[in-house]
Amino acid sequence: MSELAGMRREYQPDRGLRRADLAADWHTQFARWFAEAQAFPLPEPNAMVFSTADADGRPSSRTVLLKDVDARGFTLFTNYESRKGTEAAANPYAALLFPWHPMHRQVLVRGEIERVDRAETEAYFATRPRGSQLGAWASPQSRVLTGRDELEAAFEETAARFGPDVAVPPPPHWGGLRVVPESVEFWQGRPSRLHDRLRYRRVEREWVLERLAP
């Protein structure tokens, strides 16, 4: 424990974040930071921690990939019968975290969850590698398996079902979830733990920009 207590890193003093530096809206600002994360380069800048809670408020988190972002919100795709899918249906609120640690940056999002329309799901599913398409059918995501063999057998059965020349459609229980933000915070590490935290927060139909204490 003493070793953990001493583990810390002083963040760069020349990477401050001023209110005047931010775009007028959160999605433009996110696009700027995301482009910088890609150029840094980070290995998977679209990796984000997606946190949900069940109907009793018990939370769970996992890392997923952002697949679209615009003024409507942040979109990911999943099995609706998975833990995150069932929790999203029972308690449609979520938090997202983009942990861009090498840049001493984070983006934190809170908002409501909605399903994307089927046309959007189908358009995205068509871009996935065939193996990933088959995997979406084969995996009963989040359910207990008897072993790896059960999963591999299901994959082989699915591959035989569709055949090499058959287009694979998205499963009916698979699709997109969009986190519609209520707040989007841009976090920049600073020396002495006096970090910069600037948050866009929705108030009815308007957005306010405010600085938070670190």
Side-chain angles (χ1 to χ4, degrees):
M1 183 62 188
S2 59
E3 181 181 350
L4 289 175
M7 292 177 67
R8 63 177 55 85
R9 185 173 180 180
E10 192 72 1
Y11 295 136
Q12 297 180 21
D14 59 344
R15 287 197 174 187
L17 185 62
R18 301 174 304 168
R19 189 186 186 102
D21 296 330
L22 269 67
D25 56 76
W26 70 263
H27 43 93
T28 301
Q29 181 60 35
F30 182 83
R32 288 179 184 174
W33 268 28
F34 190 81
E36 291 175 16
Q38 287 179 291
F40 189 75
L42 295 182
E44 283 190 301
N46 63 327
M48 58 186 182
V49 179
F50 178 46
S51 298
T52 54
D54 64 18
D56 296 322
R58 292 172 296 188
S60 61
S61 298
R62 73 289 293 160
T63 301
V64 299
L65 295 178
L66 176 70
K67 288 302 178 180
D68 193 22
V69 59
D70 55 28
R72 297 172 299 172
F74 300 81
T75 300
L76 62 120
F77 291 86
T78 190
N79 185 323
Y80 290 143
E81 296 176 355
S82 66
R83 173 188 280 183
K84 58 184 171 296
T86 56
E87 289 185 351
N91 187 355
Y93 295 91
L96 302 174
L97 168 65
F98 292 85
W100 296 335
H101 301 310
M103 301 178 71
H104 307 157
R105 286 180 174 177
Q106 301 179 76
V107 179
L108 304 97
V109 181
R110 296 178 66 190
E112 297 185 51
I113 304 171
E114 65 180 21
R115 289 191 180 187
V116 307
D117 62 46
R118 198 62 184 169
E120 191 172 343
T121 288
E122 291 172 353
Y124 167 70
F125 194 81
T127 70
R128 287 166 62 93
R130 187 174 181 84
S132 297
Q133 293 176 336
L134 296 173
W137 281 93
S139 174
Q141 194 175 25
S142 300
R143 297 183 187 175
V144 175
L145 297 173
T146 57
R148 177 79 188 182
D149 290 348
E150 179 184 347
L151 182 63
E152 292 178 349
F155 186 88
E156 291 175 4
E157 290 171 6
T158 303
R161 171 185 171 188
F162 286 104
D165 301 320
V166 177
V168 182
H173 55 271
W174 191 97
L177 297 175
R178 179 180 294 111
V179 178
V180 180
E182 295 177 349
S183 67
V184 183
E185 178 185 331
F186 294 85
W187 185 103
Q188 177 68 67
R190 297 295 302 275
S192 302
R193 295 300 186 259
L194 298 179
H195 311 306
D196 287 324
R197 299 175 60 190
L198 287 146
R199 178 177 68 182
Y200 297 81
R201 180 169 58 89
R202 190 175 69 211
V203 180
E204 296 182 352
R205 295 180 179 235
E206 303 295 329
W207 287 87
V208 298
L209 178 58
E210 50 202 2
R211 179 178 286 273
L212 304 178

